[in-house]
Amino acid sequence: MKLGLRTRIGSYLALILVSLFSVFPLYWMIASSVRPRTMLLETPPPYFTAAFDISAYINVWQNTGFGLMMVNSFLIAAITTILTIMLSAMAGHSLARLKFRGKSLVSRGVLITYIFPQILLVVPLFVAMVNLRLVDSYVGLILTYMTFSFPFGMWMLTAYFQTIPVDLEEAALIDGASKLTIFLKIVLPLSKPGLAAVGIFTFIHAWNEFLYALVLLSSDEKLTLPIGLYRLLDSETVDWGEVLAATSMMVAPVLVVFLFYERHLVGGLTAGATKG
């Protein structure tokens, strides 16, 4: 008993230390963003302070167009997520249930995009968007993001749909339900964890993506948050208070989404991973 108790206490202490180590950068970013500027470069830096100053947040919001960039990022990330979930669900269900020649080739071929680093595809995708006249547009950036999010979503949902008993769909089909009705009213409701997992990964990727946004967007009114943060760092004099404030506001929405849907994310990943 004593050995078991000591083992549990040691495990809890280890988990606490790892958690503190993981959360500390987030705490330091937020705490530093509300400190007076004179305290940011102190050596050694103060880990705790009662001083509180939100002027960096006000300056970022009023002088950098941060609000517009946040709206742009949200629209692009939300539309990319919705389209990815819709197309991935249809493609994944087809691969999980239908039998057709070349099925294995299709399912594996779609994942080829993950073999190459994203930077190698910048020039081909940029040329494609120029030919389609979609440079400096939301549509072009959304299509570009989907070239990476759709294969992942299709692969994950294919594995998830295979965990749903096919007997449920066959019983509904015998009762007279159409395949579309079965897909919408039976398959999708049972697949909420998998859909949530795909949605969270897609939203976070589109929200944080920098390289393609930098290459494809040029108009100030269409820029996204990563580009705005890059411009703060690329200025002649870097105001670290404003950089940390902008970073905190950029991280906040993703953190909220993750905390609300963490249970679905873990469930979706676990179900897809344990198939077979």
Side-chain angles (χ1 to χ4, degrees):
M1 291 294 296
K2 291 183 178 180
L3 182 60
L5 180 60
R6 291 176 181 176
T7 302
R8 289 169 58 188
I9 293 176
S11 300
Y12 289 145
L13 290 176
L15 289 174
I16 291 173
L17 291 176
V18 171
S19 299
L20 291 175
F21 181 80
S22 302
V23 173
F24 181 77
L26 182 63
Y27 158 77
W28 189 256
M29 176 183 67
I30 298 175
S32 299
S33 67
V34 296
R35 287 174 181 163
R37 296 183 180 180
T38 55
M39 300 179 62
L40 288 177
L41 301 179
E42 288 186 3
T43 304
Y47 291 95
F48 305 97
T49 178
F52 191 79
D53 184 8
I54 62 171
S55 61
Y57 285 87
I58 296 175
N59 292 336
V60 169
W61 195 264
Q62 292 181 347
N63 302 328
T64 64
F66 193 85
L68 179 59
M69 287 184 285
M70 179 171 284
V71 172
N72 293 340
S73 291
F74 179 79
L75 288 176
I76 292 172
I79 295 174
T80 302
T81 301
I82 293 172
L83 292 177
T84 297
I85 291 176
M86 291 173 55
L87 297 177
S88 299
M90 291 187 288
H93 187 259
S94 299
L95 291 174
R97 293 292 186 254
L98 300 181
K99 296 181 180 180
F100 54 89
R101 182 175 299 177
K103 173 181 174 179
S104 177
L105 180 63
V106 172
S107 61
R108 296 175 182 176
V110 174
L111 293 176
I112 290 179
T113 54
Y114 282 94
I115 296 177
F116 307 100
Q118 291 189 9
I119 194 170
L120 294 181
L121 301 177
V122 169
V123 174
L125 286 173
F126 179 76
V127 172
M129 294 305 156
V130 169
N131 293 332
L132 294 173
R133 299 182 181 180
L134 293 177
V135 174
D136 195 27
S137 69
Y138 295 152
V139 176
L141 195 59
I142 290 170
L143 291 176
T144 301
Y145 289 166
M146 288 185 64
T147 61
F148 299 99
S149 60
F150 169 72
F152 170 79
M154 186 200 70
W155 171 76
M156 175 175 285
L157 290 178
T158 298
Y160 194 91
F161 289 144
Q162 290 173 345
T163 65
I164 299 176
V166 69
D167 296 344
L168 295 175
E169 300 179 40
E170 293 176 348
L173 193 63
I174 293 174
D175 289 339
S178 65
K179 292 185 177 181
L180 180 60
T181 301
I182 294 172
F183 179 70
L184 295 177
K185 295 187 177 181
I186 297 178
V187 176
L188 292 186
L190 292 174
S191 307
K192 288 181 180 180
L195 298 175
V198 172
I200 291 173
F201 275 109
T202 302
F203 186 89
I204 292 176
H205 174 265
W207 182 268
N208 294 327
E209 204 284 324
F210 169 75
L211 179 61
Y212 289 97
L214 179 66
V215 172
L216 294 177
L217 298 178
S218 57
S219 302
D220 290 341
E221 65 272 11
K222 295 179 181 179
L223 298 182
T224 57
L225 288 176
I227 307 302
L229 185 61
Y230 168 75
R231 288 190 171 185
L232 289 176
L233 291 169
D234 196 43
S235 58
E236 294 182 359
T237 57
V238 178
D239 189 322
W240 289 108
E242 293 184 2
V243 171
L244 292 170
T247 306
S248 300
M249 289 189 285
M250 181 177 173
V251 169
V254 176
L255 186 62
V256 170
V257 170
F258 178 80
L259 291 177
F260 271 98
Y261 293 97
E262 178 187 6
R263 178 170 58 87
H264 295 295
L265 175 62
V266 175
L269 291 175
T270 303
T274 57
K275 175 67 179 71

